[in-house]
Amino acid sequence: MFDNLKVRFVPFTQDISVGTYRIWIKDYCSYMQQNGVDAKIIPAQNIEQAFKDADVIILGKGGDPYYLSICQYGKKNYPQTIVGTITPPSTLKGVPFDFVMAGSPEEADSLSFHKNTIINAHIESLYYTRKPRTHHEKDFLIIGVHGWSPHLSSFVPHLKSALEEFEKEQDFELRIFCENKNFVWNTGRPDIKNITFHKWEHST
C-alpha cells in the first residue's frame, strides 16, 4: 500500500534528549519504515535535498523562523509535495502547512485553525519493553512530571491549586524532569514545600 510513498522527516535538532525529536521524528520514521514506507530523516540544513526526493515533508519542531519560507519554497518549486509539521505553537499563524500533527485532542483544538490537524499519540519506543511499576501504599509520595520546562506554566489554574490542596492531606515531593534542572519556575509554580528539578536523560 505504501511501497511508493516517500516521507522525509526534517528535524531542526537531532538531540536524542529532545522529546519532539525522539518521539515524533525518530520513532515515527522507524515505525513507517517497518510498515513499508520509504521514510528517511534529513536534517533541516539539507531541506532542498529533502524536497527533491519526497512526496511528504514533515518538519520538526523548533523551526518557527523558517516554516514560512520553507512552505513557500515548496509550493513554488514542488507544488505536488505535501508539507506538514509537528505540534507548532498555537500562536504561529499564516504558515500554509498542508497538515499539522498534534499529540492530544486538546492540542488539536488549539491548532484547529489549520486546515488539516492529525492527532497522533503513542507510547515511545523507549518504553516498549519496560515492565509496569507496581505501586504500594506509602506515607510519602513522589509525583513525577516529565516535559519541556515552558509547559510548567500550564499548572495554572487547576493543577497548581490541586497540588496545594493535596499537600494539606499528604506528604509528597513534586519531582520535575525536564531539559534544564536549573530552570526558574515562576508562572504556575504551586506553593508547596517539596519541589525538585532533575535533568531528563535516558538513564533517568
Side-chain angles (χ1 to χ4, degrees):
M1 178 178 179
F2 300 113
D3 287 348
N4 298 317
L5 183 65
K6 296 180 179 180
V7 177
R8 301 297 176 253
F9 290 86
V10 181
F12 293 86
T13 179
Q14 289 183 274
D15 182 348
I16 200 66
S17 69
V18 176
T20 49
Y21 170 73
R22 191 177 63 253
I23 301 168
W24 290 91
I25 301 288
K26 191 171 181 295
D27 270 11
Y28 273 125
C29 183
S30 176
Y31 175 79
M32 287 186 180
Q33 290 170 344
Q34 292 168 24
N35 285 275
V37 178
D38 178 0
K40 295 178 182 177
I41 297 172
I42 298 179
Q45 58 265 34
N46 299 325
I47 186 66
E48 292 183 9
Q49 175 191 341
F51 269 107
K52 288 177 181 178
D53 189 34
D55 299 308
V56 180
I57 296 281
I58 300 178
L59 301 171
K61 199 171 177 71
D64 303 15
Y66 313 107
Y67 289 144
L68 180 59
S69 61
I70 289 173
C71 285
Q72 289 173 336
Y73 172 82
K75 298 296 182 188
K76 179 180 178 181
N77 297 285
Y78 300 92
Q80 301 305 312
T81 301
I82 297 170
V83 181
T85 192
I86 296 160
T87 65
S90 59
T91 53
L92 182 69
K93 299 183 178 181
V95 179
F97 296 118
D98 293 306
F99 68 92
V100 297
M101 298 167 71
S104 68
E106 294 82 6
E107 187 171 45
D109 283 346
S110 74
L111 298 171
S112 60
F113 58 88
H114 292 284
K115 62 181 180 181
N116 289 302
T117 304
I118 302 167
I119 300 176
N120 276 318
H122 80 298
I123 298 173
E124 63 174 301
S125 61
L126 182 64
Y127 301 104
Y128 284 174
T129 59
R130 298 281 181 92
K131 292 183 178 180
R133 178 175 294 181
T134 301
H135 293 278
H136 304 282
E137 188 171 339
K138 57 183 69 174
D139 294 329
F140 186 83
L141 300 179
I142 295 173
I143 299 176
V145 176
H146 166 222
W148 191 39
S149 56
H151 289 170
L152 294 173
S153 63
S154 297
F155 272 51
V156 173
H158 304 298
L159 191 51
K160 177 182 184 297
S161 58
L163 289 169
E164 290 169 351
E165 287 297 312
F166 188 52
E167 189 184 46
K168 297 174 183 178
E169 305 173 8
Q170 172 71 51
D171 289 331
F172 69 91
E173 173 191 334
L174 181 61
R175 190 172 293 180
I176 309 293
F177 295 92
C178 63
E179 80 291 348
N180 179 11
K181 68 178 181 179
N182 298 314
F183 176 72
V184 178
W185 188 10
N186 293 314
T187 304
R189 183 185 179 105
D191 184 16
I192 58 177
K193 293 180 294 185
N194 298 315
I195 303 177
T196 61
F197 280 83
H198 306 265
K199 180 175 172 56
W200 185 93
E201 296 174 339
H202 271 281
S203 59
T204 303

